[in-house]
Amino acid sequence: MLLLTRRQTIFAAIAASLAGRTAFAQSAPAKVRIALDWTPNTNHIGIYVAKEKGFYADAGLDVEILPFADTSAGTLVSNGVADFGISSEIETLTQRAGGGDVKMVYGVVQTETARLIFKGGRDDIKSPKDLDGKTYGGFGGTWESALISAMIRNDGGKGDVKTVTLGTSAYEALDNGSIDFTLEIYTWEGIAAELENRKIGRFHYSDYGIPDEQTTVIVSSDAYLSASREHARAFIQATRKGYAYSVDHPDEACDLLISGSNGALMNTELVKASQKALIEGHFLKSEAGVIGRLDPAKAEALGGFLMENGILVDANGAALKEKPDFSTYYTNDLLD
């Protein structure tokens, strides 16, 4: 009788241990990696809010925010280094056309936040056609020349400009007169210029025949979505909750972004002014209350523009001859 009791005790202990291990395995959060497209800024605020407020943890996720690197977030996603990435609609369309495994899964902004800018007070620049023959400070995107040339041509000009690739130093070059114009994200660089009382002239792309776009998006890959559909859905829905919270509680959200950036963001005034612009301009949440959803009409129009201008090329660098099915370039399914 004593032997049987001892055996029962041992078996019970083993069973309890195995049950504990199983419970731990079931409760262990799933690891998810998201790559940023730049140093932390208000385009990323919903991600930081979701992480700091515990929305990801509540969804059973352990989210790692990968720091900005020279390699684009879309490329990191396509190669399995990251599960999600912050990208642009234009970049995603061009990368997928070229064979990259990248797909838009969340629209961070609902309408174009980028602008073509020049130094304010210039009497020789009244509209885009006046940019003919002038110098553009660019960022190395293959689509930039098509965008600028189209804006100039649509305004009655030839579309001939000189281009130098400068990256973010383009803003300093604009201030000192080394270049005549460049591009900005109004809700960040534009707000910074306003806070510094720098006079900037701006042209909206859509005023000169360029299709409206959702400038900033979150992308994933077909490979990840196929292998980890439920984790992907949990991530996107928690992310949407983070962005919605940032709209409803902007001051707290900005503080969470700043604290979560580990010292990368020091200008509190800029962060809060930028978030205010994103909210008041209905970028993060449209006037109709749309948040996170990708617009099929915008993807189709922008894809068509890139196709017509020879920007969409295959893996061998040859311009696409047939228009792709752009509905395969994005999905809203994870939001439902």
Side-chain angles (χ1 to χ4, degrees):
M1 183 71 177
L2 181 60
L3 180 60
L4 180 61
T5 302
R6 286 178 178 174
R7 285 179 178 176
Q8 289 174 331
T9 301
I10 292 171
F11 289 154
I14 293 173
S17 175
L18 291 173
R21 291 178 186 178
T22 302
F24 175 80
Q26 291 175 340
S27 62
K31 188 76 173 181
V32 173
R33 303 156 298 171
I34 181 166
L36 300 185
D37 60 334
W38 205 248
T39 53
N41 58 70
T42 45
N43 279 344
H44 313 140
I45 195 166
I47 297 165
Y48 281 88
V49 168
K51 187 174 178 67
E52 299 298 322
K53 293 292 289 183
F55 299 158
Y56 290 136
D58 291 344
L61 304 176
D62 176 14
V63 173
E64 179 184 5
I65 302 174
L66 303 179
F68 168 67
D70 290 338
T71 303
S72 74
T75 299
L76 295 176
V77 166
S78 183
N79 287 282
V81 178
D83 306 309
F84 296 91
I86 303 291
S87 188
S88 71
E89 190 166 17
I90 288 179
E91 186 174 69
T92 307
L93 292 170
T94 56
Q95 287 183 330
R96 190 172 178 93
D101 184 9
V102 59
K103 175 178 283 189
M104 294 181 281
V105 293
Y106 186 92
V108 175
V109 297
Q110 293 301 307
T111 190
E112 180 71 72
T113 53
R115 307 285 186 265
L116 186 155
I117 64 171
F118 56 95
K119 196 169 183 177
R122 289 189 58 163
D123 294 332
D124 60 330
I125 302 179
K126 302 295 185 184
S127 69
K129 66 176 179 291
D130 298 325
L131 299 174
D132 263 332
K134 291 183 169 56
T135 301
Y136 164 67
F139 301 86
T142 56
W143 52 269
E144 293 173 45
S145 60
L147 169 77
I148 292 164
S149 294
M151 288 180 69
I152 294 173
R153 292 195 309 272
N154 291 340
D155 189 44
K158 296 179 180 179
D160 297 328
V161 299
K162 303 171 186 174
T163 298
V164 292
T165 301
L166 299 174
T168 55
S169 60
Y171 303 116
E172 181 181 351
L174 186 70
D175 286 339
N176 64 34
S178 300
I179 61 173
D180 296 297
F181 66 103
T182 187
L183 307 178
E184 71 168 10
I185 298 299
Y186 169 70
T187 51
W188 190 255
E189 288 90 6
I191 295 300
E194 290 178 2
L195 292 175
E196 295 166 6
N197 294 315
R198 290 186 284 116
K199 293 183 178 180
I200 300 292
R202 295 181 175 87
F203 299 135
H204 291 219
Y205 300 171
S206 59
D207 288 343
Y208 298 94
I210 307 301
D212 189 26
E213 68 164 315
Q214 295 180 260
T215 321
T216 304
V217 298
I218 296 177
V219 299
S220 188
S221 64
D222 284 323
Y224 181 78
L225 295 178
S226 176
S228 305
R229 190 76 177 183
E230 291 311 308
H231 293 157
R233 188 185 304 278
F235 173 80
I236 288 300
Q237 295 195 9
T239 297
R240 178 171 58 181
K241 187 176 179 180
Y243 277 104
Y245 193 93
S246 80
V247 172
D248 295 336
H249 306 87
D251 286 340
E252 181 187 355
C254 288
D255 291 339
L256 292 173
L257 171 62
I258 292 168
S259 63
S261 71
N262 295 319
L265 282 174
M266 304 298 291
N267 191 336
T268 301
E269 183 182 19
L270 172 58
V271 173
K272 294 195 172 184
S274 173
Q275 181 66 2
K276 181 180 179 182
L278 283 165
I279 294 171
E280 293 182 350
H282 299 287
F283 292 107
L284 295 180
K285 185 177 183 179
S286 74
E287 291 187 75
V290 176
I291 182 166
R293 194 160 292 274
L294 293 153
D295 188 330
K298 290 180 180 178
E300 185 72 24
L302 185 62
F305 169 79
L306 296 175
M307 179 82 182
E308 291 166 8
N309 284 273
I311 300 303
L312 298 186
V313 299
D314 62 21
N316 296 316
L320 298 188
K321 295 181 179 179
E322 295 184 6
K323 187 177 180 180
D325 179 2
F326 291 117
S327 69
T328 64
Y329 283 42
Y330 63 88
T331 181
N332 283 311
D333 290 350
L334 302 180
L335 289 167
D336 300 327

